[in-house]
Amino acid sequence: IYLEGIAHSLLPEDIGGERSILWARHQMVVTKFKDSERFSSSSYAYVDNLDPVLNFTKYYVDNESIVDQDLVFWITLGTHRIPHTEDIPLASTVGRELRFFLMPNNYFPECPSMNARDALLIKHIDPKDKARGVEVN
């Protein structure tokens, strides 16, 4: 798993409303799939920050084996934005990309491109006179 857009949470643990977003403590948590663990938070989390409706840390504190199991990857992506005077009247978010990639590692016994046909090189016969056509090698 390749993560782009990682930002560590700046909230200190167990201070203020941090307990309602326990998933933000980690960039990625891997757990064994369980039907009872479908969400990392609740829409009611803000109601009681000291005793959240859903405690995400209970998903991984049991330290269960994940070998040969169906897995769930809980991925947290985020950015930090520091406001400055040029933001007024709008705060821009240009260039902010948050994404992750699932990239196989040693999935195939050899590189799949080894079975691809040979490449073709196509170029203009005369780059200044495109009407003369192309040459294919």
Side-chain angles (χ1 to χ4, degrees):
I1 294 179
Y2 178 71
L3 304 174
E4 284 187 1
I6 295 174
H8 185 72
S9 177
L10 299 177
L11 296 174
E13 287 189 15
D14 297 327
I15 300 294
E18 191 270 342
R19 295 192 75 189
S20 62
I21 57 166
L22 294 173
W23 46 264
R25 290 181 181 177
H26 307 282
Q27 301 308 148
M28 182 175 71
V29 173
V30 180
T31 62
K32 185 169 106 174
F33 174 80
K34 294 179 185 171
D35 281 327
S36 60
E37 297 176 351
R38 296 265 179 185
F39 304 100
S40 61
S41 188
S42 166
S43 57
Y44 300 107
Y46 67 92
V47 175
D48 188 358
N49 292 332
L50 299 178
D51 186 21
V53 176
L54 192 151
N55 186 344
F56 181 69
T57 58
K58 290 182 179 178
Y59 289 10
Y60 59 86
V61 293
D62 54 12
N63 205 23
E64 290 181 301
S65 173
I66 59 172
V67 176
D68 294 327
Q69 300 292 324
D70 291 334
L71 302 178
V72 177
F73 293 81
W74 304 90
I75 296 173
T76 302
L77 300 174
T79 61
H80 295 297
R81 191 179 151 287
I82 300 172
H84 47 87
T85 55
E86 290 80 14
D87 284 346
I88 299 172
L90 301 171
S92 66
T93 56
V94 175
R96 301 285 183 192
E97 292 184 13
L98 304 175
R99 57 190 175 177
F100 69 93
F101 298 94
L102 300 175
M103 301 172 66
N105 186 23
N106 296 326
Y107 183 77
F108 298 105
E110 64 180 27
C111 179
S113 65
M114 298 303 288
N115 294 325
R117 294 183 173 204
D118 291 334
L120 295 176
L121 175 61
I122 303 172
K123 62 181 182 177
H124 290 281
I125 293 171
D126 183 359
K128 294 180 181 177
D129 184 11
K130 309 268 193 247
R132 294 193 56 207
V134 295
E135 175 185 354
V136 179
N137 290 325

PDB file of all heavy atoms in Angstrom, residues 1 3 23 26-34 36-41 54 56 59-60 71-77 100:
ATOM      1  N   ILE A   1       0.863  -1.174   0.000  1.00  0.00           N
ATOM      2  CA  ILE A   1       0.000   0.000   0.000  1.00  0.00           C
ATOM      3  C   ILE A   1       0.896   1.218   0.000  1.00  0.00           C
ATOM      4  O   ILE A   1       1.801   1.340   0.827  1.00  0.00           O
ATOM      5  CB  ILE A   1      -0.931   0.000   1.217  1.00  0.00           C
ATOM      6  CG1 ILE A   1      -1.891  -1.170   1.106  1.00  0.00           C
ATOM      7  CG2 ILE A   1      -1.673   1.310   1.337  1.00  0.00           C
ATOM      8  CD1 ILE A   1      -2.831  -1.294   2.249  1.00  0.00           C
ATOM      9  N   LEU A   3       0.860   5.242   0.262  1.00  0.00           N
ATOM     10  CA  LEU A   3       0.024   6.355   0.703  1.00  0.00           C
ATOM     11  C   LEU A   3       0.601   7.675   0.228  1.00  0.00           C
ATOM     12  O   LEU A   3       1.794   7.920   0.361  1.00  0.00           O
ATOM     13  CB  LEU A   3      -0.068   6.376   2.231  1.00  0.00           C
ATOM     14  CG  LEU A   3      -0.558   5.116   2.926  1.00  0.00           C
ATOM     15  CD1 LEU A   3      -0.442   5.273   4.428  1.00  0.00           C
ATOM     16  CD2 LEU A   3      -1.973   4.803   2.543  1.00  0.00           C
ATOM     17  N   TRP A  23      -9.500   7.066  15.130  1.00  0.00           N
ATOM     18  CA  TRP A  23      -8.893   6.566  13.892  1.00  0.00           C
ATOM     19  C   TRP A  23      -7.792   7.488  13.399  1.00  0.00           C
ATOM     20  O   TRP A  23      -6.892   7.065  12.676  1.00  0.00           O
ATOM     21  CB  TRP A  23      -9.961   6.393  12.812  1.00  0.00           C
ATOM     22  CG  TRP A  23     -10.874   7.562  12.698  1.00  0.00           C
ATOM     23  CD1 TRP A  23     -12.095   7.696  13.292  1.00  0.00           C
ATOM     24  CD2 TRP A  23     -10.657   8.769  11.975  1.00  0.00           C
ATOM     25  NE1 TRP A  23     -12.642   8.917  12.997  1.00  0.00           N
ATOM     26  CE2 TRP A  23     -11.779   9.598  12.174  1.00  0.00           C
ATOM     27  CE3 TRP A  23      -9.627   9.233  11.170  1.00  0.00           C
ATOM     28  CZ2 TRP A  23     -11.894  10.851  11.606  1.00  0.00           C
ATOM     29  CZ3 TRP A  23      -9.737  10.492  10.607  1.00  0.00           C
ATOM     30  CH2 TRP A  23     -10.863  11.285  10.830  1.00  0.00           C
ATOM     31  N   HIS A  26      -3.598   7.019  13.728  1.00  0.00           N
ATOM     32  CA  HIS A  26      -2.752   6.158  12.904  1.00  0.00           C
ATOM     33  C   HIS A  26      -2.978   6.446  11.425  1.00  0.00           C
ATOM     34  O   HIS A  26      -4.098   6.733  11.011  1.00  0.00           O
ATOM     35  CB  HIS A  26      -3.074   4.688  13.165  1.00  0.00           C
ATOM     36  CG  HIS A  26      -3.021   4.330  14.613  1.00  0.00           C
ATOM     37  ND1 HIS A  26      -1.839   4.130  15.282  1.00  0.00           N
ATOM     38  CD2 HIS A  26      -4.002   4.162  15.527  1.00  0.00           C
ATOM     39  CE1 HIS A  26      -2.091   3.842  16.540  1.00  0.00           C
ATOM     40  NE2 HIS A  26      -3.397   3.854  16.720  1.00  0.00           N
ATOM     41  N   GLN A  27      -1.936   6.329  10.620  1.00  0.00           N
ATOM     42  CA  GLN A  27      -2.071   6.481   9.174  1.00  0.00           C
ATOM     43  C   GLN A  27      -2.693   5.239   8.565  1.00  0.00           C
ATOM     44  O   GLN A  27      -3.420   5.324   7.581  1.00  0.00           O
ATOM     45  CB  GLN A  27      -0.716   6.746   8.531  1.00  0.00           C
ATOM     46  CG  GLN A  27      -0.001   7.966   9.023  1.00  0.00           C
ATOM     47  CD  GLN A  27      -0.834   9.236   8.981  1.00  0.00           C
ATOM     48  OE1 GLN A  27      -0.657  10.087   9.809  1.00  0.00           O
ATOM     49  NE2 GLN A  27      -1.737   9.391   8.074  1.00  0.00           N
ATOM     50  N   MET A  28      -2.402   4.068   9.141  1.00  0.00           N
ATOM     51  CA  MET A  28      -2.996   2.835   8.639  1.00  0.00           C
ATOM     52  C   MET A  28      -3.057   1.806   9.762  1.00  0.00           C
ATOM     53  O   MET A  28      -2.101   1.648  10.522  1.00  0.00           O
ATOM     54  CB  MET A  28      -2.188   2.270   7.472  1.00  0.00           C
ATOM     55  CG  MET A  28      -2.797   1.015   6.887  1.00  0.00           C
ATOM     56  SD  MET A  28      -1.958   0.413   5.419  1.00  0.00           S
ATOM     57  CE  MET A  28      -0.443  -0.198   6.108  1.00  0.00           C
ATOM     58  N   VAL A  29      -4.189   1.147   9.846  1.00  0.00           N
ATOM     59  CA  VAL A  29      -4.372   0.043  10.785  1.00  0.00           C
ATOM     60  C   VAL A  29      -4.880  -1.132   9.968  1.00  0.00           C
ATOM     61  O   VAL A  29      -5.778  -0.979   9.139  1.00  0.00           O
ATOM     62  CB  VAL A  29      -5.383   0.406  11.900  1.00  0.00           C
ATOM     63  CG1 VAL A  29      -5.690  -0.796  12.775  1.00  0.00           C
ATOM     64  CG2 VAL A  29      -4.870   1.568  12.737  1.00  0.00           C
ATOM     65  N   VAL A  30      -4.298  -2.313  10.187  1.00  0.00           N
ATOM     66  CA  VAL A  30      -4.726  -3.525   9.499  1.00  0.00           C
ATOM     67  C   VAL A  30      -5.369  -4.444  10.522  1.00  0.00           C
ATOM     68  O   VAL A  30      -4.756  -4.759  11.548  1.00  0.00           O
ATOM     69  CB  VAL A  30      -3.537  -4.241   8.822  1.00  0.00           C
ATOM     70  CG1 VAL A  30      -4.003  -5.493   8.102  1.00  0.00           C
ATOM     71  CG2 VAL A  30      -2.817  -3.308   7.876  1.00  0.00           C
ATOM     72  N   THR A  31      -6.622  -4.837  10.251  1.00  0.00           N
ATOM     73  CA  THR A  31      -7.326  -5.727  11.165  1.00  0.00           C
ATOM     74  C   THR A  31      -7.934  -6.889  10.399  1.00  0.00           C
ATOM     75  O   THR A  31      -8.102  -6.837   9.183  1.00  0.00           O
ATOM     76  CB  THR A  31      -8.458  -5.000  11.910  1.00  0.00           C
ATOM     77  OG1 THR A  31      -9.424  -4.525  10.964  1.00  0.00           O
ATOM     78  CG2 THR A  31      -7.938  -3.835  12.730  1.00  0.00           C
ATOM     79  N   LYS A  32      -8.263  -7.917  11.139  1.00  0.00           N
ATOM     80  CA  LYS A  32      -8.985  -9.047  10.581  1.00  0.00           C
ATOM     81  C   LYS A  32     -10.426  -8.608  10.355  1.00  0.00           C
ATOM     82  O   LYS A  32     -10.993  -7.884  11.176  1.00  0.00           O
ATOM     83  CB  LYS A  32      -8.916 -10.205  11.585  1.00  0.00           C
ATOM     84  CG  LYS A  32      -9.508 -11.481  11.104  1.00  0.00           C
ATOM     85  CD  LYS A  32      -9.146 -12.600  12.064  1.00  0.00           C
ATOM     86  CE  LYS A  32     -10.346 -12.979  12.882  1.00  0.00           C
ATOM     87  NZ  LYS A  32     -10.101 -14.146  13.726  1.00  0.00           N
ATOM     88  N   PHE A  33     -11.016  -9.016   9.221  1.00  0.00           N
ATOM     89  CA  PHE A  33     -12.393  -8.618   8.921  1.00  0.00           C
ATOM     90  C   PHE A  33     -13.352  -9.223   9.938  1.00  0.00           C
ATOM     91  O   PHE A  33     -13.278 -10.409  10.255  1.00  0.00           O
ATOM     92  CB  PHE A  33     -12.794  -9.075   7.515  1.00  0.00           C
ATOM     93  CG  PHE A  33     -14.239  -8.812   7.219  1.00  0.00           C
ATOM     94  CD1 PHE A  33     -14.649  -7.558   6.841  1.00  0.00           C
ATOM     95  CD2 PHE A  33     -15.181  -9.820   7.348  1.00  0.00           C
ATOM     96  CE1 PHE A  33     -15.984  -7.297   6.585  1.00  0.00           C
ATOM     97  CE2 PHE A  33     -16.515  -9.577   7.096  1.00  0.00           C
ATOM     98  CZ  PHE A  33     -16.923  -8.311   6.708  1.00  0.00           C
ATOM     99  N   LYS A  34     -14.245  -8.366  10.441  1.00  0.00           N
ATOM    100  CA  LYS A  34     -15.313  -8.811  11.338  1.00  0.00           C
ATOM    101  C   LYS A  34     -16.583  -8.070  10.938  1.00  0.00           C
ATOM    102  O   LYS A  34     -16.553  -6.856  10.681  1.00  0.00           O
ATOM    103  CB  LYS A  34     -14.978  -8.488  12.793  1.00  0.00           C
ATOM    104  CG  LYS A  34     -13.791  -9.241  13.328  1.00  0.00           C
ATOM    105  CD  LYS A  34     -13.518  -8.843  14.762  1.00  0.00           C
ATOM    106  CE  LYS A  34     -12.268  -9.495  15.280  1.00  0.00           C
ATOM    107  NZ  LYS A  34     -11.870  -8.975  16.577  1.00  0.00           N
ATOM    108  N   SER A  36     -18.910  -7.133  12.761  1.00  0.00           N
ATOM    109  CA  SER A  36     -19.269  -6.138  13.772  1.00  0.00           C
ATOM    110  C   SER A  36     -18.414  -4.873  13.688  1.00  0.00           C
ATOM    111  O   SER A  36     -18.713  -3.888  14.364  1.00  0.00           O
ATOM    112  CB  SER A  36     -19.136  -6.742  15.166  1.00  0.00           C
ATOM    113  OG  SER A  36     -17.809  -7.160  15.391  1.00  0.00           O
ATOM    114  N   GLU A  37     -17.361  -4.886  12.867  1.00  0.00           N
ATOM    115  CA  GLU A  37     -16.463  -3.730  12.750  1.00  0.00           C
ATOM    116  C   GLU A  37     -16.566  -3.142  11.349  1.00  0.00           C
ATOM    117  O   GLU A  37     -15.713  -3.358  10.500  1.00  0.00           O
ATOM    118  CB  GLU A  37     -15.028  -4.156  13.070  1.00  0.00           C
ATOM    119  CG  GLU A  37     -14.850  -4.635  14.488  1.00  0.00           C
ATOM    120  CD  GLU A  37     -13.460  -5.151  14.780  1.00  0.00           C
ATOM    121  OE1 GLU A  37     -12.646  -5.304  13.840  1.00  0.00           O
ATOM    122  OE2 GLU A  37     -13.182  -5.433  15.955  1.00  0.00           O
ATOM    123  N   ARG A  38     -17.629  -2.403  11.118  1.00  0.00           N
ATOM    124  CA  ARG A  38     -17.888  -1.838   9.782  1.00  0.00           C
ATOM    125  C   ARG A  38     -17.481  -0.372   9.656  1.00  0.00           C
ATOM    126  O   ARG A  38     -17.255   0.111   8.560  1.00  0.00           O
ATOM    127  CB  ARG A  38     -19.376  -1.967   9.446  1.00  0.00           C
ATOM    128  CG  ARG A  38     -19.864  -3.375   9.339  1.00  0.00           C
ATOM    129  CD  ARG A  38     -19.827  -3.787   7.930  1.00  0.00           C
ATOM    130  NE  ARG A  38     -20.278  -5.156   7.788  1.00  0.00           N
ATOM    131  CZ  ARG A  38     -20.253  -5.804   6.669  1.00  0.00           C
ATOM    132  NH1 ARG A  38     -19.787  -5.220   5.601  1.00  0.00           N
ATOM    133  NH2 ARG A  38     -20.669  -7.037   6.595  1.00  0.00           N
ATOM    134  N   PHE A  39     -17.436   0.356  10.760  1.00  0.00           N
ATOM    135  CA  PHE A  39     -17.177   1.793  10.713  1.00  0.00           C
ATOM    136  C   PHE A  39     -16.073   2.159  11.706  1.00  0.00           C
ATOM    137  O   PHE A  39     -15.928   1.530  12.741  1.00  0.00           O
ATOM    138  CB  PHE A  39     -18.444   2.580  11.058  1.00  0.00           C
ATOM    139  CG  PHE A  39     -19.609   2.226  10.172  1.00  0.00           C
ATOM    140  CD1 PHE A  39     -20.593   1.359  10.619  1.00  0.00           C
ATOM    141  CD2 PHE A  39     -19.703   2.746   8.892  1.00  0.00           C
ATOM    142  CE1 PHE A  39     -21.668   1.022   9.806  1.00  0.00           C
ATOM    143  CE2 PHE A  39     -20.757   2.408   8.072  1.00  0.00           C
ATOM    144  CZ  PHE A  39     -21.749   1.547   8.528  1.00  0.00           C
ATOM    145  N   SER A  40     -15.330   3.221  11.386  1.00  0.00           N
ATOM    146  CA  SER A  40     -14.263   3.665  12.279  1.00  0.00           C
ATOM    147  C   SER A  40     -14.740   4.735  13.251  1.00  0.00           C
ATOM    148  O   SER A  40     -14.042   5.079  14.191  1.00  0.00           O
ATOM    149  CB  SER A  40     -13.090   4.206  11.474  1.00  0.00           C
ATOM    150  OG  SER A  40     -13.496   5.317  10.712  1.00  0.00           O
ATOM    151  N   SER A  41     -15.931   5.259  13.007  1.00  0.00           N
ATOM    152  CA  SER A  41     -16.480   6.291  13.871  1.00  0.00           C
ATOM    153  C   SER A  41     -18.002   6.255  13.764  1.00  0.00           C
ATOM    154  O   SER A  41     -18.558   5.403  13.077  1.00  0.00           O
ATOM    155  CB  SER A  41     -15.947   7.667  13.467  1.00  0.00           C
ATOM    156  OG  SER A  41     -16.337   8.637  14.412  1.00  0.00           O
ATOM    157  N   LEU A  54     -18.418   4.679  19.535  1.00  0.00           N
ATOM    158  CA  LEU A  54     -17.605   3.647  18.905  1.00  0.00           C
ATOM    159  C   LEU A  54     -16.138   3.906  19.244  1.00  0.00           C
ATOM    160  O   LEU A  54     -15.617   4.984  18.970  1.00  0.00           O
ATOM    161  CB  LEU A  54     -17.809   3.690  17.390  1.00  0.00           C
ATOM    162  CG  LEU A  54     -17.264   2.521  16.591  1.00  0.00           C
ATOM    163  CD1 LEU A  54     -18.098   2.336  15.342  1.00  0.00           C
ATOM    164  CD2 LEU A  54     -15.826   2.714  16.230  1.00  0.00           C
ATOM    165  N   PHE A  56     -12.629   3.023  18.296  1.00  0.00           N
ATOM    166  CA  PHE A  56     -11.859   2.405  17.221  1.00  0.00           C
ATOM    167  C   PHE A  56     -10.657   1.613  17.732  1.00  0.00           C
ATOM    168  O   PHE A  56     -10.259   0.618  17.136  1.00  0.00           O
ATOM    169  CB  PHE A  56     -11.398   3.473  16.225  1.00  0.00           C
ATOM    170  CG  PHE A  56     -10.621   2.925  15.073  1.00  0.00           C
ATOM    171  CD1 PHE A  56     -11.229   2.140  14.119  1.00  0.00           C
ATOM    172  CD2 PHE A  56      -9.271   3.196  14.947  1.00  0.00           C
ATOM    173  CE1 PHE A  56     -10.510   1.618  13.057  1.00  0.00           C
ATOM    174  CE2 PHE A  56      -8.537   2.679  13.883  1.00  0.00           C
ATOM    175  CZ  PHE A  56      -9.170   1.895  12.937  1.00  0.00           C
ATOM    176  N   TYR A  59     -10.598  -2.204  17.964  1.00  0.00           N
ATOM    177  CA  TYR A  59     -10.455  -3.024  16.757  1.00  0.00           C
ATOM    178  C   TYR A  59      -9.075  -3.677  16.673  1.00  0.00           C
ATOM    179  O   TYR A  59      -8.927  -4.730  16.087  1.00  0.00           O
ATOM    180  CB  TYR A  59     -10.660  -2.187  15.495  1.00  0.00           C
ATOM    181  CG  TYR A  59     -12.072  -1.727  15.241  1.00  0.00           C
ATOM    182  CD1 TYR A  59     -13.075  -1.851  16.174  1.00  0.00           C
ATOM    183  CD2 TYR A  59     -12.391  -1.142  14.033  1.00  0.00           C
ATOM    184  CE1 TYR A  59     -14.358  -1.407  15.918  1.00  0.00           C
ATOM    185  CE2 TYR A  59     -13.671  -0.703  13.762  1.00  0.00           C
ATOM    186  CZ  TYR A  59     -14.651  -0.829  14.709  1.00  0.00           C
ATOM    187  OH  TYR A  59     -15.914  -0.393  14.444  1.00  0.00           O
ATOM    188  N   TYR A  60      -8.073  -3.036  17.234  1.00  0.00           N
ATOM    189  CA  TYR A  60      -6.708  -3.543  17.059  1.00  0.00           C
ATOM    190  C   TYR A  60      -5.966  -3.847  18.360  1.00  0.00           C
ATOM    191  O   TYR A  60      -4.890  -4.429  18.315  1.00  0.00           O
ATOM    192  CB  TYR A  60      -5.873  -2.596  16.200  1.00  0.00           C
ATOM    193  CG  TYR A  60      -5.737  -1.198  16.747  1.00  0.00           C
ATOM    194  CD1 TYR A  60      -4.745  -0.877  17.654  1.00  0.00           C
ATOM    195  CD2 TYR A  60      -6.597  -0.194  16.335  1.00  0.00           C
ATOM    196  CE1 TYR A  60      -4.622   0.403  18.147  1.00  0.00           C
ATOM    197  CE2 TYR A  60      -6.473   1.090  16.826  1.00  0.00           C
ATOM    198  CZ  TYR A  60      -5.485   1.379  17.727  1.00  0.00           C
ATOM    199  OH  TYR A  60      -5.366   2.649  18.212  1.00  0.00           O
ATOM    200  N   LEU A  71      -8.685  -9.310   5.304  1.00  0.00           N
ATOM    201  CA  LEU A  71      -8.179  -8.133   6.001  1.00  0.00           C
ATOM    202  C   LEU A  71      -8.955  -6.876   5.666  1.00  0.00           C
ATOM    203  O   LEU A  71      -9.545  -6.752   4.598  1.00  0.00           O
ATOM    204  CB  LEU A  71      -6.701  -7.915   5.651  1.00  0.00           C
ATOM    205  CG  LEU A  71      -5.756  -9.067   5.960  1.00  0.00           C
ATOM    206  CD1 LEU A  71      -4.352  -8.721   5.505  1.00  0.00           C
ATOM    207  CD2 LEU A  71      -5.780  -9.410   7.428  1.00  0.00           C
ATOM    208  N   VAL A  72      -8.905  -5.937   6.595  1.00  0.00           N
ATOM    209  CA  VAL A  72      -9.450  -4.595   6.392  1.00  0.00           C
ATOM    210  C   VAL A  72      -8.307  -3.622   6.637  1.00  0.00           C
ATOM    211  O   VAL A  72      -7.602  -3.726   7.643  1.00  0.00           O
ATOM    212  CB  VAL A  72     -10.607  -4.295   7.364  1.00  0.00           C
ATOM    213  CG1 VAL A  72     -11.105  -2.874   7.181  1.00  0.00           C
ATOM    214  CG2 VAL A  72     -11.737  -5.285   7.189  1.00  0.00           C
ATOM    215  N   PHE A  73      -8.096  -2.716   5.706  1.00  0.00           N
ATOM    216  CA  PHE A  73      -7.075  -1.679   5.847  1.00  0.00           C
ATOM    217  C   PHE A  73      -7.789  -0.374   6.152  1.00  0.00           C
ATOM    218  O   PHE A  73      -8.510   0.153   5.308  1.00  0.00           O
ATOM    219  CB  PHE A  73      -6.251  -1.546   4.565  1.00  0.00           C
ATOM    220  CG  PHE A  73      -5.406  -2.749   4.274  1.00  0.00           C
ATOM    221  CD1 PHE A  73      -5.935  -3.867   3.672  1.00  0.00           C
ATOM    222  CD2 PHE A  73      -4.064  -2.753   4.623  1.00  0.00           C
ATOM    223  CE1 PHE A  73      -5.161  -4.982   3.411  1.00  0.00           C
ATOM    224  CE2 PHE A  73      -3.279  -3.862   4.363  1.00  0.00           C
ATOM    225  CZ  PHE A  73      -3.825  -4.973   3.764  1.00  0.00           C
ATOM    226  N   TRP A  74      -7.601   0.132   7.352  1.00  0.00           N
ATOM    227  CA  TRP A  74      -8.183   1.408   7.766  1.00  0.00           C
ATOM    228  C   TRP A  74      -7.131   2.472   7.475  1.00  0.00           C
ATOM    229  O   TRP A  74      -6.121   2.572   8.152  1.00  0.00           O
ATOM    230  CB  TRP A  74      -8.524   1.377   9.252  1.00  0.00           C
ATOM    231  CG  TRP A  74      -9.441   0.264   9.642  1.00  0.00           C
ATOM    232  CD1 TRP A  74      -9.076  -0.988  10.042  1.00  0.00           C
ATOM    233  CD2 TRP A  74     -10.869   0.289   9.662  1.00  0.00           C
ATOM    234  NE1 TRP A  74     -10.192  -1.734  10.319  1.00  0.00           N
ATOM    235  CE2 TRP A  74     -11.305  -0.986  10.099  1.00  0.00           C
ATOM    236  CE3 TRP A  74     -11.816   1.261   9.361  1.00  0.00           C
ATOM    237  CZ2 TRP A  74     -12.647  -1.299  10.240  1.00  0.00           C
ATOM    238  CZ3 TRP A  74     -13.157   0.939   9.512  1.00  0.00           C
ATOM    239  CH2 TRP A  74     -13.561  -0.327   9.944  1.00  0.00           C
ATOM    240  N   ILE A  75      -7.357   3.262   6.433  1.00  0.00           N
ATOM    241  CA  ILE A  75      -6.366   4.234   5.967  1.00  0.00           C
ATOM    242  C   ILE A  75      -6.852   5.651   6.256  1.00  0.00           C
ATOM    243  O   ILE A  75      -7.992   5.995   5.956  1.00  0.00           O
ATOM    244  CB  ILE A  75      -6.113   4.053   4.455  1.00  0.00           C
ATOM    245  CG1 ILE A  75      -5.503   2.664   4.219  1.00  0.00           C
ATOM    246  CG2 ILE A  75      -5.205   5.139   3.914  1.00  0.00           C
ATOM    247  CD1 ILE A  75      -5.366   2.294   2.776  1.00  0.00           C
ATOM    248  N   THR A  76      -5.969   6.442   6.848  1.00  0.00           N
ATOM    249  CA  THR A  76      -6.284   7.836   7.161  1.00  0.00           C
ATOM    250  C   THR A  76      -5.383   8.731   6.329  1.00  0.00           C
ATOM    251  O   THR A  76      -4.165   8.629   6.389  1.00  0.00           O
ATOM    252  CB  THR A  76      -6.045   8.132   8.649  1.00  0.00           C
ATOM    253  OG1 THR A  76      -6.848   7.253   9.426  1.00  0.00           O
ATOM    254  CG2 THR A  76      -6.399   9.570   8.978  1.00  0.00           C
ATOM    255  N   LEU A  77      -5.984   9.594   5.522  1.00  0.00           N
ATOM    256  CA  LEU A  77      -5.244  10.577   4.733  1.00  0.00           C
ATOM    257  C   LEU A  77      -5.689  11.960   5.167  1.00  0.00           C
ATOM    258  O   LEU A  77      -6.854  12.167   5.512  1.00  0.00           O
ATOM    259  CB  LEU A  77      -5.511  10.394   3.244  1.00  0.00           C
ATOM    260  CG  LEU A  77      -5.131   9.045   2.645  1.00  0.00           C
ATOM    261  CD1 LEU A  77      -5.586   8.965   1.195  1.00  0.00           C
ATOM    262  CD2 LEU A  77      -3.644   8.810   2.730  1.00  0.00           C
ATOM    263  N   PHE A 100      -4.282   6.813  -2.256  1.00  0.00           N
ATOM    264  CA  PHE A 100      -3.453   5.671  -1.933  1.00  0.00           C
ATOM    265  C   PHE A 100      -3.554   4.667  -3.062  1.00  0.00           C
ATOM    266  O   PHE A 100      -4.516   4.642  -3.812  1.00  0.00           O
ATOM    267  CB  PHE A 100      -3.819   5.047  -0.580  1.00  0.00           C
ATOM    268  CG  PHE A 100      -5.154   4.370  -0.547  1.00  0.00           C
ATOM    269  CD1 PHE A 100      -5.271   3.017  -0.804  1.00  0.00           C
ATOM    270  CD2 PHE A 100      -6.299   5.080  -0.238  1.00  0.00           C
ATOM    271  CE1 PHE A 100      -6.495   2.386  -0.769  1.00  0.00           C
ATOM    272  CE2 PHE A 100      -7.527   4.464  -0.193  1.00  0.00           C
ATOM    273  CZ  PHE A 100      -7.629   3.110  -0.463  1.00  0.00           C
TER     274      PHE A 100
END
